[in-house]
Amino acid sequence: MLAEDLLRLLGSTNRLRIVERLVAGECSVKTLEAELAIRQPTLSQQLGELRKAGLVIDRREAQSVHYSMAPDHIEQVQRVLSALNSADAQRSHKPKSETRPVHAAQFGRVLSD
Amino acid sequence: MLAEDLLRLLGSTNRLRIVERLVAGECSVKTLEAELAIRQPTLSQQLGELRKAGLVIDRREAQSVHYSMAPDHIEQVQRVLSALNSADAQRSHKPKSETRPVHAAQFGRVLSD
DNA sequence: ATATTATATTAGATTATGCTAATTTATGGA
DNA sequence: TCCATAAATTAGCATAATCTAATATAATAT
């Protein structure tokens, strides 16, 4: 995925909110729908865009489908998101030595370090 | 300017190329036109978008108009741009203690530190 | 099997975006 | 003044993006 594509994907309200939520941890479509107040088809379409770009992955569990950030991209996305806040400017991001699973609450932890 | 707006502005090929060039230093429209091979009206329109968002500033000098990154936003943009490259992940960006003019070649310098 | 819940897909309308061509405005020189 | 150069603006078009409503699919429970 090109840098430009990532920027474009994050440059729409709904997708940015979805990604911000997923960076905080895996979430079902149903929960996203409730938390973000985005209608189901819109949500499914935008999740589809993010999935097509490889930015998120999905996992079926019974009736529901759970989305989370793709491991390959979560760090990049975290860097970009925190780069947007100048308050966060002086914090360096840890290099990729920390290779444990980062599917949940990673962004929040970095912010509160 | 909202984070989303910055991401959207950077999420188009021409605007991203323009910003990448301006982060390297001030540039006239004419020079941008030649360097980026973007037609004059397109260039002027996209520069207008960037200017309207406060991301770039312009300065008239004789017949030509010179654009540069807005001081208020250059560091944020640099952070976002370098956040896109994982190779650059571990480099921290200097806090704003360094308050000298940063209108030229700032991004290149950071990359080659 | 049928119904229920969750998600995806399709179709369609509306709006936004990004380009080109043509024109206009601004500046400086002959 | 008249011309040349640089940049901005306008108009128009083609395409992309984004939403809603309706429908289809998937999984589960009764």
Side-chain angles (χ1 to χ4, degrees):
Chain A
M1 187 182 41
L2 298 171
E4 181 202 327
D5 296 323
L6 176 57
L7 293 167
R8 186 180 43 77
L9 286 168
L10 297 181
S12 101
T13 310
N14 280 341
R15 282 194 302 264
L16 182 57
R17 293 205 301 143
I18 291 168
V19 168
E20 284 172 340
R21 176 57 186 81
L22 292 183
V23 163
E26 190 188 60
C27 195
S28 73
V29 176
K30 202 62 185 168
T31 304
L32 282 173
E33 189 182 350
E35 287 189 8
L36 304 181
I38 300 174
R39 289 172 212 275
Q40 184 268 319
T42 299
L43 193 50
S44 188
Q45 286 161 2
Q46 299 308 323
L47 285 168
E49 290 287 312
L50 296 171
R51 181 163 29 81
K52 182 164 55 108
L55 207 61
V56 304
I57 57 177
D58 64 322
R59 168 180 78 79
R60 176 136 231 154
E61 182 178 301
Q63 297 109 318
S64 56
V65 175
H66 295 258
Y67 280 83
S68 56
M69 296 303 298
D72 286 358
H73 286 289
I74 185 167
E75 292 185 6
Q76 183 186 36
V77 170
Q78 286 174 342
R79 286 198 308 274
V80 171
L81 291 183
S82 68
L84 294 167
N85 311 300
S86 69
D88 210 41
Q90 61 275 32
R91 297 170 212 271
S92 68
H93 293 277
K94 299 196 174 57
K96 52 186 169 185
S97 61
E98 214 170 303
T99 46
R100 60 179 171 70
V102 285
H103 287 151
Q106 181 75 350
F107 185 57
R109 197 186 54 71
V110 167
L111 277 180
S112 61
D113 261 354
Chain B
M1 189 181 41
L2 297 172
E4 180 203 327
D5 296 322
L6 176 58
L7 293 167
R8 185 180 45 76
L9 287 167
L10 297 181
S12 103
T13 310
N14 280 341
R15 282 194 304 264
L16 182 58
R17 294 204 302 142
I18 292 168
V19 167
E20 283 172 341
R21 175 57 186 81
L22 292 183
V23 163
E26 190 189 58
C27 195
S28 74
V29 175
K30 203 62 184 169
T31 303
L32 282 173
E33 189 182 351
E35 287 190 8
L36 305 181
I38 300 174
R39 289 172 211 275
Q40 184 267 320
T42 299
L43 194 49
S44 188
Q45 286 160 2
Q46 300 307 325
L47 285 168
E49 291 285 314
L50 297 171
R51 182 162 30 80
K52 183 163 56 109
L55 207 61
V56 304
I57 57 177
D58 64 322
R59 169 179 79 78
R60 175 137 230 154
E61 184 178 301
Q63 295 109 321
S64 56
V65 175
H66 295 258
Y67 280 83
S68 56
M69 296 303 298
D72 286 358
H73 286 288
I74 186 167
E75 292 185 6
Q76 183 186 35
V77 169
Q78 285 173 344
R79 286 198 308 275
V80 170
L81 292 183
S82 67
L84 293 168
N85 312 300
S86 69
D88 210 42
Q90 62 276 30
R91 296 171 212 270
S92 68
H93 291 278
K94 297 196 174 60
K96 51 183 170 184
S97 61
E98 214 169 297
T99 45
R100 59 179 172 67
V102 285
H103 288 153
Q106 181 74 351
F107 184 56
R109 196 186 55 72
V110 168
L111 278 180
S112 61
D113 261 355

